[in-house]
């Protein structure tokens, strides 16, 4: 049986071959868009209480990229959207923030929150990568009230070399931001050499608190003591106002560590800073939990100073650097 040649194929068969559809179209089909752009929105007004613009260190409301977008760690509480917060791709929604109070006279901008509180919680973020890679990262903290509402967000701003070379002795800058991403407070710890005698003033640790950033409101200064942690809380002129007296055993394995805030004569207790024991997480991970108590009617600047003392205590006694393995 002979096979028909191409010239012997019927005209219908040749026509069917020419009309086969292309499995890979050159370009997607055009779609008619139903989007109709609306009128441009009005610019956000400046906050009330700042007739000359935002204070030093405040970010503009027109810069959403400066807002502290982050994923809350270990929270199981209901969350909802708030002004100035936008969800990240891996974030369902931002956590609930404390309602912003109105500006108060003789109160640094941003400290109005503390004027309404007598107790705040400092919750350090747990960083599992530190335990795996042994690489020290910048510390982050959530500051909350008793209703589990966020009051502030604190981030460390230290370069990689300084963090991993000096570890717990590192100098640092902590930036405190509110729900709009405005930096309302800055805390700075300078480097202090610890190789000399502990009673030498140059070896004592110190923390400077600025609110707003660039305006010093006080210092937290360490005092040498043989068996316990002792600090003085000072005003902007470095005059002693209060003192902080820690326990004999500051590491508190299995129990809370209480640092009493007292008057200068030590007679009356004003408040306290309590490092909470969180079981295995406190023993294995670097995720501390502090409770800070102070009188409701206390001067808001002194509340901020007690708040700052908590971070110096954390870095000096409870900061656990990842272990460094020797290459020998």
């Amino acid at each position: 049986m002979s096979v028909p040649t191409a010239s012997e194929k019927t005209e219908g068969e040749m026509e069917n071959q020419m009309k086969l559809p292309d499995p890979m179209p050159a370009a997607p089909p055009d779609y008619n868009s139903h989007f109709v752009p609306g009128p441009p929105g009005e610019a956000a007004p400046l906050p009330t209480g700042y007739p000359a613009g935002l204070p030093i260190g405040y970010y503009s409301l027109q810069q959403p990229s400066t807002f502290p977008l982050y994923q809350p760690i270990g929270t199981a509480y209901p969350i909802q959207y708030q002004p100035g917060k936008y969800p990240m791709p891996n974030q369902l929604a931002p956590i609930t923030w404390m309602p912003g109070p109105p500006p108060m006279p003789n109160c640094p901008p941003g400290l109005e929150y503390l004027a309404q509180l007598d107790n705040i919680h400092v919750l350090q973020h747990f960083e599992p990568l530190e335990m795996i890679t042994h690489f020290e990262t910048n510390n982050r903290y959530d500051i909350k009230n008793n209703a589990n509402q966020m009051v502030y967000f604190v981030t460390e701003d230290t370069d990689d070399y300084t963090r991993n070379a000096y570890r717990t002795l590192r100098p640092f800058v902590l930036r405190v931001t509110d729900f709009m991403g405005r930096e309302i407070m800055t805390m700075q710890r300078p480097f202090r050499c610890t190789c000399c005698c502990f009673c030498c003033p140059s070896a004592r640790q110190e923390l400077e608190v600025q609110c707003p950033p660039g305006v010093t409101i006080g210092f937290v200064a360490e005092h040498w003591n043989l068996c316990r942690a002792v600090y003085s809380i000072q005003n902007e002129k470095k005059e002693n106002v209060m003192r902080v007296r820690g326990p004999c055993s500051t590491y508190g394995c299995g129990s809370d560590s209480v640092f009493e805030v007292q008057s200068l004569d030590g007679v009356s207790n004003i408040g306290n800073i309590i490092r909470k024991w969180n079981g295995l997480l406190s023993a294995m991970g670097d995720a501390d939990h502090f409770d800070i108590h102070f009188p409701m009617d206390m001067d808001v600047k002194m509340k901020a100073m007690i708040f700052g003392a908590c971070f110096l205590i954390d870095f000096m006694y409870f900061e656990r650097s990842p272990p460094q393995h020797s290459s020998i």
Side-chain angles (χ1 to χ4, degrees):
M1 186 175 180
S2 61
V3 179
T5 61
S7 59
E8 295 175 340
K9 290 184 179 180
T10 63
E11 195 175 310
E13 291 176 338
M14 296 291 291
E15 197 173 72
N16 291 338
Q17 289 182 0
M18 294 176 63
K19 293 182 180 179
L20 289 176
D22 186 5
M24 295 292 292
D30 293 332
Y31 294 96
N32 294 326
S33 175
H34 299 284
F35 171 74
V36 179
E42 299 181 359
L46 292 176
T48 59
Y50 308 120
L54 296 175
I56 300 175
Y58 273 39
Y59 297 126
S60 169
L61 298 180
Q62 308 297 324
Q63 299 178 359
S65 61
T66 60
F67 297 164
L69 303 177
Y70 65 99
Q71 171 69 38
I73 297 177
T75 178
Y77 296 92
I79 49 182
Q80 56 185 330
Y81 289 104
Q82 292 291 331
K85 298 289 292 182
Y86 303 95
M88 297 285 282
N90 61 342
Q91 180 180 5
L92 297 178
I95 177 174
T96 304
W97 284 79
M98 178 179 174
M104 299 174 55
N106 302 320
C107 177
L111 294 189
E112 298 90 351
Y113 295 93
L114 296 182
Q116 300 182 358
L117 300 172
D118 60 357
N119 173 222
I120 55 176
H121 304 271
V122 179
L123 306 170
Q124 183 178 359
H125 286 210
F126 176 66
E127 305 290 352
L129 287 180
E130 286 190 358
M131 301 181 65
I132 300 174
T133 63
H134 308 302
F135 184 83
E136 183 76 27
T137 60
N138 279 321
N139 287 356
R140 298 180 298 161
Y141 304 85
D142 291 343
I143 314 303
K144 298 185 177 183
N145 58 16
N146 286 334
N148 199 54
Q149 295 174 324
M150 282 281 288
V151 182
Y152 300 122
F153 183 57
V154 181
T155 54
E156 180 186 358
D157 186 4
T158 309
D159 62 88
D160 293 340
Y161 173 79
T162 301
R163 285 196 314 273
N164 289 275
Y166 295 96
R167 299 286 171 160
T168 60
L169 297 176
R170 64 185 182 264
F172 61 75
V173 175
L174 296 178
R175 306 191 185 279
V176 184
T177 54
D178 63 5
F179 80 101
M180 297 182 67
R182 304 178 300 182
E183 184 178 346
I184 57 98
M185 187 188 308
T186 303
M187 292 176 274
Q188 298 180 356
R189 176 200 190 185
F191 177 73
R192 289 288 186 265
C193 179
T194 58
C195 60
C196 57
C197 178
F198 288 106
C199 60
C200 178
S202 62
R204 299 174 189 171
Q205 300 297 316
E206 184 180 80
L207 181 79
E208 178 185 357
V209 180
Q210 301 175 358
C211 185
V215 180
T216 302
I217 63 172
F219 299 86
V220 181
E222 179 194 19
H223 288 273
W224 184 82
N225 191 280
L226 185 61
C227 63
R228 67 175 70 242
V230 178
Y231 302 88
S232 64
I233 295 179
Q234 304 171 339
N235 59 18
E236 67 277 8
K237 300 178 181 179
K238 289 201 170 185
E239 299 171 340
N240 294 339
V241 179
M242 296 176 289
R243 75 172 189 173
V244 179
R245 189 170 182 266
C248 289
S249 176
T250 55
Y251 295 96
C253 182
S255 62
D256 297 345
S257 298
V258 181
F259 295 77
E260 297 289 348
V261 182
Q262 302 174 334
S263 59
L264 291 178
D265 55 13
V267 174
S268 58
N269 289 334
I270 301 174
N272 53 49
I273 302 171
I274 304 175
R275 190 260 188 174
K276 307 293 289 184
W277 173 256
N278 289 330
L280 186 62
L281 188 62
S282 296
M284 300 291 293
D286 186 17
D288 294 313
H289 174 193
F290 290 87
D291 280 355
I292 304 177
H293 301 263
F294 34 60
M296 179 71 76
D297 58 352
M298 187 180 213
D299 178 44
V300 70
K301 292 183 180 180
M302 290 299 102
K303 289 184 178 182
M305 293 306 305
I306 298 175
F307 175 56
C310 173
F311 294 96
L312 184 58
I313 291 172
D314 181 34
F315 272 84
M316 289 186 62
Y317 296 106
F318 304 108
E319 176 75 3
R320 290 179 176 83
S321 294
Q324 292 177 307
H325 298 298
S326 175
S327 58
I328 299 177

